[in-house]
Amino acid sequence: MDTDCVCQTHRGVLFLDELPEFGHQLLELLRQPLEDKMVTISRAMGSLTFPASFMLVGAMNPCPCGYYGDPEKECTCALSLISRYQRRISGPFIDRVDIFVDVPRVDYEKLASDALGEMSSSVQARVELGRAHQQRRFDGTHLTSNAEMTPGEIRDFCPIDGTAQSLLQAAMKQLNLSARAFHRILKLARTIADLDDRESIAAADIAEAIQYRPRSLV
Ligand SMILES: [Zn+2]
């Protein structure tokens, strides 16, 4: 039996805490649904295809003890152990992730301070604005968000000026970025501009998007 379901209306978030603990093999299996937004399960009796459109969110420590790179507490892991731990996440898997963010420890002073961070309501307003830009942009197409753009659509919807182009070219060379990373940077820069209520992508948006590529830790 072969079920062809390409239902794109159901979407979800898949959050994997302690990402490396899921093991190299399982994480590699996630690459297919991440790309195709469908998952195919094959058994002796046949294969079934299910919709699997999801946003993957993963969290991990920099090393098994959790303190590698911490300015206050020393990491007790051997370098070989840290490298083995990080290698559980393969290069091709990393290539499929849009945003990498370091989350350093929060100082006591900040925790105890009376100053509040940005209100959730103002973040919500920004996200709604960004979504509205995307809705208008993709009206009449099968797309709903910047993340879904193919390379051809990126060419159409993410034009950049000469300054941004030189910046991106230099980053590609220096950071040895793949074609996949190149497209991710453009899509991300598109979203950064949308969140800032701008139709044109600035060089600063490209620079910010480059910041979200991973830096090798060890
Ligand atoms: Zn450690």
Side-chain angles (χ1 to χ4, degrees):
M1 186 169 55
D2 214 325
T3 309
D4 256 353
C5 178
V6 287
C7 165
Q8 290 289 307
T9 50
H10 294 96
R11 292 151 200 272
V13 176
L14 176 64
F15 176 56
L16 301 180
D17 198 7
E18 303 284 356
L19 197 59
E21 301 303 331
F22 287 88
H24 180 80
Q25 211 176 352
L26 191 139
L27 293 176
E28 290 303 294
L29 280 175
L30 270 180
R31 276 165 49 184
Q32 188 230 339
L34 268 175
E35 290 274 299
D36 306 338
K37 307 203 179 303
M38 276 183 269
V39 66
T40 301
I41 297 171
S42 299
R43 292 285 181 271
M45 299 296 289
S47 70
L48 285 169
T49 301
F50 297 95
S53 184
F54 61 93
M55 178 193 286
L56 175 67
V57 181
M60 66 179 282
N61 283 316
C63 66
C65 86
Y67 290 103
Y68 185 78
D70 190 292
E72 280 168 40
K73 195 162 171 177
E74 206 176 327
C75 162
T76 54
C77 311
L79 272 183
S80 59
L81 188 67
I82 302 175
S83 156
R84 205 160 52 237
Y85 178 77
Q86 291 184 359
R87 271 206 312 270
R88 289 192 207 165
I89 317 284
S90 74
F93 184 90
I94 286 173
D95 230 18
R96 284 164 173 78
V97 179
D98 289 326
I99 303 176
F100 291 81
V101 184
D102 278 337
V103 187
R105 94 172 38 240
V106 182
D107 294 332
Y108 172 80
E109 287 75 17
K110 243 189 190 165
L111 285 173
S113 146
D114 286 336
L116 292 172
E118 188 177 11
M119 298 294 288
S120 297
S121 54
S122 78
V123 176
Q124 182 184 354
R126 199 161 61 236
V127 171
E128 282 173 355
L129 187 71
R131 284 284 177 193
H133 270 287
Q134 294 172 55
Q135 240 165 25
R136 263 197 310 277
R137 177 173 307 125
F138 301 133
D139 192 26
T141 73
H142 66 288
L143 301 171
T144 58
S145 71
N146 292 336
E148 294 169 4
M149 287 189 281
T150 60
E153 287 151 351
I154 291 170
R155 237 190 334 266
D156 292 342
F157 294 119
C158 306
I160 52 173
D161 64 14
T163 316
Q165 272 180 28
S166 329
L167 184 67
L168 189 49
Q169 194 180 12
M172 290 287 295
K173 235 184 226 165
Q174 273 169 28
L175 304 173
N176 200 17
L177 298 175
S178 66
R180 206 175 250 123
F182 169 82
H183 290 124
R184 289 199 186 287
I185 289 170
L186 283 170
K187 287 194 278 187
L188 201 49
R190 173 70 278 163
T191 301
I192 293 166
D194 286 346
L195 291 172
D196 200 30
D197 202 13
R198 282 179 286 109
E199 204 37 61
S200 60
I201 300 173
D205 303 326
I206 294 286
E208 184 178 343
I210 292 168
Q211 295 287 314
Y212 295 123
R213 292 316 302 159
R215 270 146 286 190
S216 70
L217 296 167
V218 180

